[in-house]
């Protein structure tokens, strides 16, 4: 499924019924710029052939000389063109739908301009009917993508047609793009009333009827209405974080008793609310938002949307205990919201990072005045049927919070009101917020009286101040933590807090450009930016609705701690390759009911080193630590220190063993062993069977082991990778924020014992894809099966 609202219509010979076709394959691509490339007659046979989604920037070499700079990921931008031939279908209306193009896209069909869209995160649809040649003849669509004006983002944006594209055909009378709006104004255990609004496009004077049918998750019809916009469902199933139940509304449009369009809209039945004392209310009960912020890149995949890559990220987050996602700081791809609907994750859906005041020289402020109304309305229109979406955010750390004059302050308040009203025009069932970061009484955005919920980034001292200044408004910690960590790096002593970068000091930092993996390093802009400290404040304030930790995953760009060669962030609870860092287990212990005992650091040191040992745990009173069978005593976490702690353990090789106890009885064990020299590699695929559709992925973890099979946590072996057979090597990574090897190449080194290879299937090629990894120890293989009709979900 490529879009939540549009599904392929099965088996019909009626050419006027809606069809939805994958339009991602058989494109050609070239970097550069030449207006001759618009012309249908241009010979593009020498261009690269590829299929979408595609991000050309991630294919480049890292360099601090690229105009985007390290904050934009140190990767190239530029101008690129895409071209595709297609046959005019038998239909009265033909549309091309783009989920997102970064950025400044202009679409041409048969040499004529169809439209332009600057904002790289907006979804849009073009009616190309009048541009097409007669039925059965060849057409050429060309898309110019201009990401040459940089910097235009504070993080890695990617470049190209990086989201999915579809061709949609309909009759003259049809449901408009994103043309349904489903709400559930009345819900009880006995009945739910479903209110449906439909936007129909039809020639003037055309008479038509609408029939709405609701089916449950098993496909059974549970409600129907002829020429009615209200439907009743008996004994409704609630959509909830633990039971994400989805219904489907099928809208049929009839002309003269003949169905001329059929349009599906998945939706959920749930109530939401916000309370100044209890926070967020879901289906009548308070739910603490245990959230993370996520940027849109997928590490070595770049920004090219692959549903499986998003699913992997969300699964890792959910296993940590996450129940909410903030789409920082832009409209997400539709697949993310589809997955959140299916997985029971709540979403703070965000529109903009800037309004009129620039944060980067060529960012969205360049286009705001001309485009913000259309972009904001299209954003809400697209996402408003998702039950996962509980909160609209109209901006992040917007500079219009302040103002130099009373007139400017009033203008900024009015602008906030204008944006909030635009959202409510499209959807009045959800709260509106903005992620503010200026704690002062005169904050224009908050004082506009247009927000339903105050979002506060960092500055947790501000919770109590905001509570006094705005006693009727709920508060959510829209961005917290800003801890800086590198997986597998442990600086001693662990009790030394490291704040990076040091203001006024040249950003050179550690020689390795790494941050300690202990939760004892954070960015300079707040005093409670470690994971532990940020969570404690939210935990202890019942009126704070929850938290969105910065960030769930590392992301390309914004290497706050250091300068070049650092080119990606250190903020993630999980590194860029998808390997959890140690604080992951702090959250898992605090946010889940599953038994957790996580001992760290590794146990490969020099004789006589003094090493601080930590253990995150839950479901227990205390933890006992053993070194080679000798007890080093018991330790317990407190409300202030969320881990067990044994300082300055004198290193000797062997085995560290932690045992947690509840009421004197053993609960769990965790062991770390000293590893010898690496003698082999272990390859582990997250999914050994994938769909041969050209989209599906298998993420393969590469680890170094010693002769006893013990993982070697310090191994940094150089690797060469190759995929043969029915797959392709789609990306390589290791989680090292300062590694400058191309993430689309075949070479990568282990970083602290691990690396990642991503295998992508080839369309319609079933069989076996073989990943070969070569190192100084020889060659190691793993086979991935590619098959048709494999159920990946």
């Amino acid at each position: 499924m490529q879009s939540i609202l549009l599904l392929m219509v099965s088996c019909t010979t009626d050419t006027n019924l809606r069809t939805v076709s994958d339009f991602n394959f058989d494109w050609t691509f070239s970097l550069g710029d030449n207006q001759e490339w618009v012309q249908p007659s241009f010979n593009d046979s020498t261009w690269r052939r590829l299929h979408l989604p595609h991000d050309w920037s991630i294919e480049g070499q890292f360099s601090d000389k690229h105009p985007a700079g390290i904050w934009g990921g140190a990767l190239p931008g530029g101008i690129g063109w895409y071209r595709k031939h297609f046959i005019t279908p038998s239909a009265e209306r033909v549309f091309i739908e783009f989920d997102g193009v970064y950025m400044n896209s202009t679409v041409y069909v048969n040499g004529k301009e169809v439209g332009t869209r600057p904002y790289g995160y907006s979804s849009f649809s073009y009616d190309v009917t009048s541009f097409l040649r007669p039925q059965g003849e060849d057409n050429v669509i060309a898309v110019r993508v201009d990401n040459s004006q940089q910097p235009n983002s504070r993080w890695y944006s990617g470049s190209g047609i990086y989201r999915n594209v579809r061709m949609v055909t309909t009759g003259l009378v049809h449901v408009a793009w994103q043309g349904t709006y489903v709400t559930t104004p009345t819900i009880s255990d006995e009945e739910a009333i479903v209110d449906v609004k439909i936007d129909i496009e039809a020639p003037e004077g055309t008479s038509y009827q609408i029939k709405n049918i609701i089916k449950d998750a098993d496909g059974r019809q549970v409600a129907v209405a002829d020429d009615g916009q209200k439907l009743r469902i008996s004994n409704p199933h609630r959509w909830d974080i633990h039971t994400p139940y989805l219904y489907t509304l099928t809208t049929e449009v009839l002309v003269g008793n003949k169905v001329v369009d059929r349009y599906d809209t998945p939706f959920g039945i749930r109530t939401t609310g916000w309370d100044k004392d209890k926070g967020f209310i879901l289906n009548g009960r308070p739910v603490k938002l245990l959230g993370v912020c996520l940027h849109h890149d997928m590490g070595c995949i770049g920004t090219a949307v692959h549903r499986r890559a998003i699913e992997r990220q969300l699964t890792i987050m959910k296993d940590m205990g996450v129940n909410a996602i903030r789409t920082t700081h832009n409209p997400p791809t539709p697949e993310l919201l589809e997955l959140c609907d299916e997985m029971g994750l709540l979403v703070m859906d965000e529109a903009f990072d800037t309004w009129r005041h620039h944060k980067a020289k060529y960012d969205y402020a360049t286009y705001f005045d001309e485009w913000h109304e259309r972009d904001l309305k299209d954003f809400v229109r697209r996402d408003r049927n998702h039950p996962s979406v509980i909160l609209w955010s109209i901006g992040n750390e917007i500079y219009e919070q302040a103002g130099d004059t009373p007139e400017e302050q009033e203008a900024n308040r009015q602008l906030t009101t204008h944006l909030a009203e635009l959202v409510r025009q499209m959807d009045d069932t959800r709260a509106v917020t903005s992620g503010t970061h200026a704690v002062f009484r005169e904050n224009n955005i908050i004082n506009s009286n247009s927000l339903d919920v105050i979002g506060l980034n960092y500055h947790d001292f501000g919770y109590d101040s905001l509570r006094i200044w705005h006693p009727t408004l709920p508060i959510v910690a829209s961005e917290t933590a800003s801890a800086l960590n590198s997986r597998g790096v442990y600086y001693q002593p662990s009790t030394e807090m490291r704040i990076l970068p040091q203001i006024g000091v040249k950003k050179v930092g550690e020689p390795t450009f790494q941050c300690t993996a202990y939760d004892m390093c954070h960015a300079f802009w707040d005093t409670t930016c470690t994971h532990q400290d940020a969570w404690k404040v939210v935990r202890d304030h019942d009126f704070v609705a929850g938290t969105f930790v910065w960030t769930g995953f590392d992301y390309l760009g914004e290497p706050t701690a250091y300068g070049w060669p650092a080119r990606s962030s250190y903020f993630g609870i999980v590194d860029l390759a998808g390997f959890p860092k140690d604080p992951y287990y702090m959250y898992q212990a605090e946010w889940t009911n599953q038994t957790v005992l996580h001992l760290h650091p590794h146990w490969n040191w020099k004789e006589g080193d003094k090493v601080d040992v930590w253990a995150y745990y839950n479901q227990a009173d205390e933890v006992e630590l053993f070194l080679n069978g000798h007890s080093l005593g018991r330790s317990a976490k407190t409300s202030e220190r969320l881990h067990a702690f044994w300082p300055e353990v004198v290193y000797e090789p062997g085995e560290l063993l932690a045992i947690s106890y509840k009421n004197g009885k053993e609960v769990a064990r965790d062991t770390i062993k000293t590893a010898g020299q690496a003698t082999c590699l272990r390859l582990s695929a997250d999914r050994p069977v994938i769909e041969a559709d050209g989209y599906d992925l298998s993420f393969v973890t590469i680890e170094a082991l010693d002769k006893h099979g013990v993982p070697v946590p310090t191994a940094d072996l150089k690797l060469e990778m190759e995929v043969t057979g029915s797959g392709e090597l789609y990306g390589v990574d290791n989680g090292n924020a300062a590694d400058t090897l191309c993430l689309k190449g075949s070479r990568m080194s282990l970083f602290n014992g691990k690396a990642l290879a991503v295998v992508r299937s080839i369309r319609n090629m079933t069989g076996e894809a073989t990943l070969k990894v070569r190192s100084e120890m020889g060659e190691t293989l793993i086979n991935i099966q590619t098959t048709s009709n494999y159920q990946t979900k």
Side-chain angles (χ1 to χ4, degrees):
M1 184 173 68
Q2 298 299 326
S3 170
I4 194 160
L5 293 182
L6 304 174
L7 303 177
M8 181 71 76
V9 177
S10 61
C11 296
T12 177
T13 58
D14 191 335
T15 58
N16 289 332
L17 274 176
R18 177 181 302 264
T19 67
V20 182
S21 305
D22 185 333
F23 208 60
N24 286 333
F25 287 87
D26 301 320
W27 290 78
T28 60
F29 170 74
S30 179
L31 287 172
D33 195 23
N34 189 327
Q35 280 301 312
E36 292 183 7
W37 297 348
V38 169
Q39 300 304 321
S41 59
F42 174 74
N43 183 359
D44 59 13
S45 61
T46 61
W47 284 21
R48 175 183 170 189
R49 298 189 66 82
L50 53 74
H51 75 75
L52 308 176
H54 173 241
D55 170 12
W56 80 66
S57 292
I58 195 66
E59 300 169 348
Q61 299 295 324
F62 288 109
S63 171
D64 60 340
K65 302 299 189 293
H66 292 307
I70 60 173
W71 297 93
L75 287 166
I79 298 174
W81 282 76
Y82 299 83
R83 287 170 52 93
K84 176 182 170 74
H85 288 258
F86 65 99
I87 301 299
T88 303
S90 175
E92 293 175 325
R93 285 286 181 268
V94 180
F95 303 86
I96 306 297
E97 296 184 350
F98 293 85
D99 285 343
V101 183
Y102 202 94
M103 59 179 289
N104 281 317
S105 65
T106 305
V107 175
Y108 304 86
V109 172
N110 294 327
K112 296 181 180 179
E113 182 175 332
V114 178
T116 294
R117 202 65 181 248
Y119 195 30
Y121 301 107
S122 284
S123 297
F124 52 93
S125 175
Y126 290 132
D127 184 345
V128 299
T129 310
S130 63
F131 297 86
L132 300 181
R133 293 169 175 162
Q135 179 184 334
E137 293 190 13
D138 182 63
N139 304 272
V140 175
I141 184 172
V143 182
R144 180 181 186 268
V145 185
D146 184 354
N147 194 17
S148 61
Q149 287 191 310
Q150 297 200 9
N152 57 51
S153 176
R154 298 187 301 115
W155 58 87
Y156 175 73
S157 64
S159 301
I161 308 178
Y162 71 104
R163 293 180 180 172
N164 286 297
V165 184
R166 293 169 297 282
M167 174 187 283
V168 178
T169 68
T170 71
L172 293 176
V173 183
H174 58 272
V175 178
W177 177 76
Q178 309 293 350
T180 58
Y181 180 34
V182 183
T183 59
T184 51
T186 304
I187 302 173
S188 69
D189 291 341
E190 292 75 31
E191 184 181 68
I193 295 177
V194 180
D195 190 11
V196 181
K197 296 179 181 178
I198 309 293
D199 183 7
I200 300 294
E201 292 183 348
E204 186 175 354
T206 303
S207 296
Y208 57 84
Q209 300 80 43
I210 296 175
K211 181 178 182 179
N212 286 312
I213 304 164
I214 295 177
K215 295 181 180 180
D216 66 14
D218 296 320
R220 295 186 294 258
Q221 181 174 305
V222 294
V224 63
D226 294 303
D227 288 331
Q229 306 302 308
K230 290 188 183 296
L231 299 91
R232 298 176 184 272
I233 299 177
S234 299
N235 305 312
H237 296 276
R238 304 285 184 105
W239 185 95
D240 209 302
I241 54 177
H242 301 301
T243 55
Y245 194 94
L246 293 172
Y247 290 89
T248 300
L249 170 75
T250 298
T251 299
E252 294 183 344
V253 184
L254 298 90
V255 175
N257 296 320
K258 179 182 179 182
V259 176
V260 296
D261 194 16
R262 187 175 289 119
Y263 189 97
D264 284 349
T265 308
F267 70 97
I269 296 173
R270 86 285 186 271
T271 62
T272 63
W274 296 83
D275 184 272
K276 65 182 180 64
D277 298 317
K278 299 178 182 178
F280 175 64
I281 310 297
L282 178 64
N283 293 322
R285 73 186 193 284
V287 173
K288 198 82 164 181
L289 299 177
L290 308 176
V292 294
C293 300
L294 290 178
H295 272 313
H296 72 304
D297 78 75
M298 296 282 143
C300 62
I301 293 174
T303 60
V305 167
H306 286 71
R307 182 184 173 96
R308 172 57 196 158
I310 302 170
E311 182 183 47
R312 174 181 180 251
Q313 273 202 350
L314 295 180
T315 299
I316 292 170
M317 291 290 92
K318 189 159 185 174
D319 288 346
M320 189 183 84
V322 166
N323 65 17
I325 303 295
R326 180 184 176 203
T327 67
T328 46
H329 300 292
N330 48 261
T333 185
E335 286 79 4
L336 182 136
L337 297 182
E338 293 169 10
L339 285 162
C340 288
D341 288 345
E342 296 168 10
M343 298 171 70
L345 290 165
L346 306 165
V347 176
M348 175 178 170
D349 208 357
E350 194 149 76
F352 304 124
D353 188 49
T354 59
W355 295 349
R356 290 190 173 122
H357 289 270
H358 287 276
K359 296 179 181 177
K361 185 175 181 180
Y362 300 107
D363 63 18
Y364 186 69
T366 305
Y367 313 101
F368 180 86
D369 282 334
E370 180 180 356
W371 283 95
H372 74 270
E373 289 196 18
R374 184 171 180 181
D375 285 333
L376 187 56
K377 285 184 175 182
D378 283 354
F379 158 63
V380 177
R381 180 185 181 95
R382 188 197 70 174
D383 294 353
R384 63 189 177 181
N385 292 317
H386 290 279
S388 58
V389 176
I390 60 167
L391 191 59
W392 302 114
S393 172
I394 56 176
N396 170 68
E397 298 181 359
I398 298 298
Y399 288 172
E400 281 84 349
Q401 292 170 84
D404 293 333
T405 65
E407 293 76 17
E408 185 180 1
Q409 293 166 9
E410 177 59 25
N412 290 341
R413 290 191 290 269
Q414 291 180 8
L415 178 56
T416 303
T417 298
H418 166 66
L419 295 173
E421 288 177 349
L422 287 175
V423 171
R424 294 186 180 107
Q425 287 175 21
M426 306 305 296
D427 175 43
D428 60 1
T429 69
R430 294 172 176 87
V432 176
T433 190
S434 180
T436 66
H437 71 310
V439 182
F440 64 108
R441 194 160 193 165
E442 295 75 23
N443 187 304
N444 296 316
I445 290 178
I446 299 174
N447 286 340
S448 70
N449 297 319
S450 301
L451 302 184
D452 302 299
V453 177
I454 297 174
L456 179 61
N457 294 2
Y458 313 111
H459 308 309
D460 51 45
F461 64 86
Y463 303 150
D464 292 319
S465 297
L466 291 170
R467 176 82 160 170
I468 294 170
W469 298 337
H470 306 279
T472 63
L473 286 180
I475 298 170
V476 65
S478 45
E479 197 167 309
T480 63
S482 283
L484 300 166
N485 306 111
S486 301
R487 174 184 53 80
V489 176
Y490 301 96
Y491 297 142
Q492 304 297 330
S494 69
T495 52
E496 178 184 323
M497 184 66 72
R498 295 167 184 258
I499 301 175
L500 296 173
Q502 298 179 44
I503 303 302
V505 177
K506 186 178 179 181
K507 290 175 64 174
V508 292
E510 302 291 344
T512 57
F513 292 89
Q514 303 302 332
C515 303
T516 184
Y518 293 117
D519 186 22
M520 289 295 288
C521 182
H522 66 79
F524 65 90
W525 49 70
D526 208 345
T527 58
T528 54
C529 276
T530 63
H531 293 291
Q532 171 184 274
D533 290 343
W535 165 239
K536 287 188 304 184
V537 179
V538 175
R539 177 198 67 188
D540 295 341
H541 284 74
D542 289 339
F543 67 84
V544 176
T547 182
F548 290 92
V549 180
W550 190 261
T551 53
F553 272 67
D554 278 336
Y555 53 93
L556 290 163
E558 201 174 14
T560 298
Y562 303 119
W564 177 259
R567 43 64 174 171
S568 59
S569 83
Y570 299 82
F571 292 119
I573 305 167
V574 176
D575 74 17
L576 201 65
F579 303 136
K581 305 176 189 179
D582 295 299
Y584 180 94
Y585 302 96
M586 184 210 81
Y587 288 108
Q588 195 174 64
E590 294 286 311
W591 289 2
T592 77
N593 292 321
Q594 61 182 295
T595 300
V596 175
L597 177 57
H598 174 72
L599 186 62
H600 57 292
H602 61 71
W603 206 238
N604 275 55
W605 300 87
K606 296 178 182 177
E607 287 280 357
D609 280 352
K610 294 181 179 180
V611 182
D612 291 347
V613 178
W614 292 25
Y616 292 123
Y617 69 97
N618 64 5
Q619 315 284 3
D621 304 317
E622 57 187 356
V623 180
E624 187 170 10
L625 182 68
F626 297 86
L627 175 56
N628 294 327
H630 299 289
S631 176
L632 301 182
R634 297 190 180 192
S635 176
K637 63 182 179 181
T638 68
S639 61
E640 295 300 310
R641 191 191 71 207
L642 303 183
H643 58 271
F645 178 55
W646 297 267
E648 297 186 339
V649 176
V650 178
Y651 173 74
E652 60 181 63
E655 178 184 270
L656 273 183
L657 168 66
I659 303 176
S660 61
Y661 300 93
K662 178 75 171 179
N663 297 325
K665 295 183 179 179
E666 181 178 326
V667 174
R669 292 184 173 216
D670 192 21
T671 301
I672 299 174
K673 296 180 179 180
T674 301
Q677 184 176 353
T679 59
C680 66
L681 296 176
R682 177 171 62 193
L683 310 186
S684 307
D686 68 336
R687 294 160 68 248
V689 181
I690 59 177
E691 178 77 20
D693 57 4
Y695 299 118
D696 208 2
L697 306 171
S698 182
F699 291 82
V700 180
T701 299
I702 305 166
E703 297 176 277
L705 306 179
D706 71 6
K707 64 181 180 181
H708 300 294
V710 176
V712 183
T714 57
D716 59 357
L717 299 168
K718 293 182 179 179
L719 309 175
E720 289 276 351
M721 306 183 206
E722 177 189 10
V723 174
T724 59
S726 58
E728 61 178 327
L729 183 62
Y730 196 59
V732 294
D733 207 339
N734 60 14
N736 182 353
D739 192 324
T740 58
L741 288 174
C742 178
L743 299 182
K744 285 291 189 176
S746 60
R747 296 185 299 123
M748 185 56 59
S749 296
L750 295 176
F751 177 61
N752 293 326
K754 290 186 176 183
L756 177 77
V758 182
V759 177
R760 185 170 76 166
S761 66
I762 297 174
R763 189 187 191 196
N764 298 328
M765 185 180 291
T766 60
E768 196 168 73
T770 301
L771 170 65
K772 303 176 182 179
V773 182
R774 303 180 185 92
S775 70
E776 63 187 44
M777 298 175 297
E779 184 175 85
T780 308
L781 309 178
I782 189 171
N783 294 319
I784 309 296
Q785 301 299 316
T786 61
T787 184
S788 59
N789 300 316
Y790 177 67
Q791 298 299 314
T792 60
K793 288 189 285 185

